[in-house]
Amino acid sequence: MPRIRPYESQVGSQGDLPTRAAGAADFGGAGLANLGQGLENLGQSAGQAQRILNEAKARKEVTDAQVAVAQLGTDLTKSLDEHARNWTSDQPPLSETFLAGQVKSELDKLRGPEGGQDRFETEAGASTFALRAQALTAHFTDLTRHTDAKLAGEAAVTQHRQVVDTAGNFLQTHPAYYAIKRDEVASILNDPNGIYGRIPAVERQKLTRQADEQLAISAVQGMIRKTPNRALELLQDPLLKQDDRYSWMATAIPNEKLAPLINHAETEVRAIGIAQRQEEAEARRRMAEQSEATNSSLEQQRALHLIDPTQ
């Protein structure tokens, strides 16, 4: 049977205690120290990785915001053009419908559903979207205002033409009302409280001249239809501009447009002369026929009387 080795203490007396400081080997060696350093470095690497991920996300959101708002701007421009083409004067301005409606709605959709999480979660992404959305809204605010002004102006001019056409048609049959209709149209056009009050003064003056000319031509055409001889006499009068009643013919109608009216009047006068001569010839023919018939009847009666004196 083996013998048990007796335990011999290796620790000396108090005076023989070792004075060496404990080293890494006393606590597992250099491996444990390296492990600690590795854990510290791992924590730093994880934080750096998260920062990289956050930065990448922020950069992506910045670009996404720029691209999305730019594409929306293109789409909204096309939509505004279509709204402008289909707009009618009985509809509200586009600044009240398109700007306050579609522009705001589309931006809200880009940002994210109402009550839900924003599409742009990073500060950089949210800030970029907000700035681009603000710039887009300002752009379309200005654009829709200009479009509204253009459409309103076009509608006003169209309405003015309708008023002038209606008055002109009336003067074709009632030429004596020229001055009344001219003043009526001018008062509508120059009323500062009406829609034409927003048209520049130069444009209103141009429209007034055009209206005066058109109404004057219509009135002269009506006069030619009713009394062509009198119309021709006035149109050919060298002192027409001094005529208290009819000077508007010379002042409102340019010379190049007076000539066709004179030709028209001359044609009507000739037509009337031809018609009169035809009527006179027809009257003479009827009188000749009647006279001939009367003479024939008398000849027959004389012949019968010669045959039979009692007749």
Side-chain angles (χ1 to χ4, degrees):
M1 181 176 68
R3 295 178 59 187
I4 299 175
R5 185 177 180 180
Y7 174 75
E8 296 180 0
S9 176
Q10 301 298 318
V11 181
S13 63
Q14 186 174 1
D16 298 327
L17 288 175
T19 59
R20 178 182 62 85
D26 298 312
F27 300 96
L32 289 178
N34 292 336
L35 177 60
Q37 183 65 38
L39 291 174
E40 180 181 356
N41 292 338
L42 180 61
Q44 293 177 352
S45 298
Q48 184 177 4
Q50 186 61 46
R51 285 193 298 273
I52 293 174
L53 292 176
N54 291 341
E55 182 180 351
K57 181 178 181 180
R59 289 181 180 276
K60 183 177 185 305
E61 287 191 358
V62 166
T63 301
D64 288 348
Q66 293 171 337
V67 172
V69 175
Q71 181 60 50
L72 177 59
T74 300
D75 296 340
L76 288 176
T77 300
K78 295 178 181 178
S79 181
L80 179 60
D81 290 342
E82 183 177 357
H83 278 74
R85 284 193 300 270
N86 298 327
W87 185 86
T88 56
S89 58
D90 59 338
Q91 297 176 339
L94 294 179
S95 56
E96 297 180 6
T97 56
F98 178 80
L99 180 63
Q102 187 171 352
V103 174
K104 182 179 183 302
S105 174
E106 293 299 329
L107 284 173
D108 288 342
K109 289 180 182 178
L110 282 185
R111 184 181 293 110
E114 185 175 358
Q117 186 175 4
D118 284 353
R119 173 182 177 183
F120 305 101
E121 300 177 348
T122 66
E123 181 179 354
S127 176
T128 299
F129 176 79
L131 290 174
R132 292 303 177 99
Q134 183 180 6
L136 185 72
T137 302
H139 167 71
F140 278 100
T141 297
D142 183 64
L143 186 59
T144 51
R145 285 175 179 172
H146 283 289
T147 303
D148 281 339
K150 178 176 179 292
L151 292 174
E154 291 174 351
V157 171
T158 299
Q159 187 181 48
H160 171 71
R161 288 173 179 167
Q162 292 172 347
V163 170
V164 174
D165 288 344
T166 300
N169 291 335
F170 175 80
L171 291 174
Q172 291 275 353
T173 54
H174 302 81
Y177 285 84
Y178 167 75
I180 294 176
K181 287 300 178 182
R182 177 199 60 197
D183 294 344
E184 184 179 90
V185 171
S187 66
I188 295 173
L189 186 61
N190 295 297
D191 187 347
N193 298 317
I195 59 174
Y196 303 104
R198 301 179 63 182
I199 298 178
V202 174
E203 291 298 321
R204 288 203 309 274
Q205 291 173 1
K206 179 181 178 181
L207 291 175
T208 299
R209 289 193 301 269
Q210 292 174 346
D212 288 351
E213 176 184 320
Q214 183 175 341
L215 294 178
I217 291 174
S218 295
V220 170
Q221 289 173 338
M223 185 179 294
I224 292 173
R225 183 179 291 109
K226 285 180 171 293
T227 55
N229 287 286
R230 175 57 174 161
L232 181 60
E233 178 185 352
L234 289 170
L235 291 170
Q236 292 179 330
D237 186 356
L239 300 178
L240 180 59
K241 289 185 178 181
Q242 301 176 16
D243 191 296
D244 293 338
R245 186 175 179 184
Y246 295 104
S247 60
W248 52 267
M249 290 185 180
T251 57
I253 304 175
N255 291 331
E256 65 270 15
K257 294 186 179 180
L258 277 175
L261 291 172
I262 293 174
N263 292 335
H264 183 195
E266 290 175 339
T267 300
E268 290 296 320
V269 170
R270 285 195 297 269
I272 291 176
I274 292 172
Q276 287 177 343
R277 289 191 292 273
Q278 289 177 342
E279 289 179 1
E280 292 172 355
E282 179 64 20
R284 288 194 297 270
R285 185 187 66 78
R286 288 196 300 268
M287 289 180 63
E289 289 179 350
Q290 186 177 2
S291 177
E292 183 179 354
T294 301
N295 292 334
S296 177
S297 178
L298 291 174
E299 290 293 332
Q300 289 178 356
Q301 289 179 1
R302 278 197 295 268
L304 289 174
H305 180 72
L306 291 175
I307 297 173
D308 184 2
T310 61
Q311 295 187 8

